[in-house]
Amino acid sequence: MADRLYVFDTTLRDGEQVPGCQLNTIEKIQVAKALETLGVDVIEAGFPISSPGDFNSVVEISKAVTWPTICALTRSVQKDIDVAAEALQYAKRKRIHTGIGTSESHIKYKFNSTPEEILERAVAAVKYARRFVDDVEFYCEDAGRTDNEYLARVVEAVIKAGATVVNIPDTTGYCLPVEYGEKIKYLFDHVDGIDKAIISSHCHNDLGMATANTISGVMNGVRQVEVTINGIGERAGNTSLEEVAMILKCHKHLGIDTNINTQKIASTSRLVSNLMNMPVQPNKAIVGKNAFAHSSGIHQDGVLKNLQTYEIMNPKDVGIDDNAIVLTARSGRAAVRHRLSVLGVEVDGDKLNTIYEAFLRLADQKKEICDDDLLMLAGQERTSAHHIKLEYLQTTSGVGVTPVAIIGLNIAGEKFEATASGNGPVDAAVKALKKIIDRKMELKELLIQAITRGSDDACKVHVQVETEGVIYYGFAANTDIVSATIDAYIDAINKFKN
Ligand code: KIV
Ligand code: ZN
């Protein structure tokens, strides 16, 4: 019988630490429910002491989710553990994830401490957390660069203190796959009582080796993997859930099974990408737009003769449906609702009405509405509560004319208009916008992506706007590139803290 590998998803904790990817509690619940449907075993729902928002999200996700264990992160600090235990009060299955840095540099520079003192703090934290919950996971931060002998002492001590899971993070993404695997093997060979706990991997992708390191860990005894959807996470991200799940499915000879329903991968990936405004790179393994697209003649010829010539997985196994219904202006509300539900977005009532109206407007401009268009419309609905709204935008541009923009804004019910010229329609529109929003701000990055193809296509725009030394992220989508850009700019402005 295959060995069971537990999947611990940290999209809502490590993934959500990415600047600009913050979700509100309602959106987090949506992601948590999608993760439950996907079949993850553990959802790391947040770091409750870090902010009231994180605390509240752990509370609400605990209430909303039934099967997965809900996990809350802490440092090895009693107050953190008290707050995490309180946040987890409604969870049907709960886990506290506590830990401390164990590498020489963390001990010396981060804690100005000694290995013995750190060991004592680790044991004390686990014992304290066990007062509140039966399931305590301990992380040895920067384990990737921790001396193996010392790491083994820490792991042994925390298991003795009551840790049920021990996490060996490669926090900086430094390890080579062979080194990470050897580290895990070393622990299995040298830690007394290691069979009393599950050993977990948590690999970052700074050198592009997160998934390889995770699989190397699994091949050496890891039985829980810490992953995120689309591999999102700080810096270059975390190990991606979909890659690990599909590697184990494609390499059955490894004899390891997960509870992941792989057919839910594509919809969960889209949901996270849309809610977090984080585009998936087209060549991303498993979930990128091009992951199953064969463009070279030789490949197309082979695939047409027999899929196995160039395909190691069936796109249907990850939930990519070639026969997805294309919606048109004649499609009804029920069809839109059904398609959104297939894509992992549940809408009803007023929300559905707003999306349906936007759908009809878009369907008037575009013959066929595809999944990405629908997700874009669902995403737009989220921004309808903004206090600054774009009422109208008119631009004149072309060869031999000075580009000019007239913009109308509604700011908390009051109407404003401004006109400006620029070196192009976007520049003119931004200048007009700045005449109304009179504060120092600078467009730091502008990314424009077509959603599908064709001149009637909608495009997605991501912007980064800096004000008072803080970067804010904005997103919008529209069939008009200039409107989408200004809407994205306004989305960022609406997030300004003061
Ligand atoms: O990367 C890391 O070490 C972490 C820990 C807090 C688990 O995210
Ligand atoms: Zn991490």
Side-chain angles (χ1 to χ4, degrees), residues 8 10 13-14 17 44 73-74 97-99 106 137-143 167-172 202-204 226 234-235 238:
F8 173 117
T10 184
R13 201 278 298 169
D14 225 351
Q17 279 172 219
E44 188 161 50
L73 186 80
T74 80
H97 189 189
T98 190
H106 277 232
E137 173 167 342
F138 185 84
Y139 62 86
C140 309
E141 194 178 5
D142 204 15
N167 177 9
I168 310 297
D170 183 20
T171 305
T172 58
H202 177 115
C203 298
H204 279 266
E226 303 193 6
E234 273 197 290
R235 310 184 308 279
N238 290 55

